[in-house]
Amino acid sequence: MRWPLALLPLLAACSAEQGGGNETLAPPDLEDAAIERGLVRDPADTDVTGLYSRDTDRVCVIRQGNGYRIGAFVDYGDRVSCTGKGTAARSGETLSIDLTGKGGARCSFDARFDGDRIIFPGSVPDDCARLCGPRASFAGLEVQRLSESAAEAASLRTAEGVRLCED
């Protein structure tokens, strides 16, 4: 009886070798797995064009040539806000944004696009403060897509009625 039991570890070792090395494969990335199963939109297959929002904050994006027109409006109430419009270029999940405001103020930074959201960095260049009122900032702005319609995005206006995604 002992002799056949002694062969079990040997047989187990043989079957592990024949497994084809599956044990060495890294587990799939959670985001990649969600995209593969259709739970999350693949940013590489999604156009950025659309209207985005969170509370009173808005971003519009419209295709223009090889890039995009973009406008952003952050409103904290009581005239504490940021407003800018300009251009954006996309490379994968990165949106390189260049905004201008009143008096030629200019602000450039990279944001992230994940297929449904645009996320501004937590820290923006000091020049961006010129597009904002006191105590307001574009830093950390995160907006969710409301619509993929270029027409709806083009209709976005600031509190003063200025269209943000038109030339």
Side-chain angles (χ1 to χ4, degrees), residues 66-90:
N66 292 333
Y68 298 91
R69 296 275 318 144
I70 187 167
F73 178 66
V74 175
D75 184 12
Y76 296 99
D78 295 329
R79 297 183 181 229
V80 178
S81 64
C82 297
T83 304
K85 63 183 191 174
T87 60
R90 180 176 177 196

Side-chain angles (χ1 to χ4, degrees), residues 31 43 48 52-54 59 61 70 93-97 109-124 138-145:
E31 185 174 355
V48 183
Y52 299 79
S53 174
R54 185 187 76 194
V59 173
V61 182
I70 187 167
E93 292 185 14
T94 301
L95 283 177
S96 297
I97 298 173
F109 55 88
D110 286 344
R112 192 169 64 93
F113 173 66
D114 74 358
D116 284 318
R117 296 176 302 156
I118 296 175
I119 304 153
F120 286 20
S123 177
V124 293
F138 279 124
L141 173 64
E142 181 178 323
V143 288
Q144 182 82 25
R145 186 191 304 261

Side-chain angles (χ1 to χ4, degrees), residues 3-81:
W3 191 77
L5 290 177
L7 290 177
L8 284 178
L10 200 54
L11 289 173
C14 289
S15 65
E17 284 180 24
Q18 293 176 355
N22 287 340
E23 298 80 17
T24 60
L25 292 177
D29 178 34
L30 185 59
E31 185 174 355
D32 291 340
I35 289 169
E36 184 179 302
R37 287 172 181 73
L39 300 173
V40 176
R41 198 183 274 208
D42 185 355
D45 293 338
T46 306
D47 188 34
V48 183
T49 298
L51 180 61
Y52 299 79
S53 174
R54 185 187 76 194
D55 297 328
T56 57
D57 304 335
R58 304 280 187 269
V59 173
C60 59
V61 182
I62 298 174
R63 184 170 290 284
Q64 180 181 40
N66 292 333
Y68 298 91
R69 296 275 318 144
I70 187 167
F73 178 66
V74 175
D75 184 12
Y76 296 99
D78 295 329
R79 297 183 181 229
V80 178
S81 64

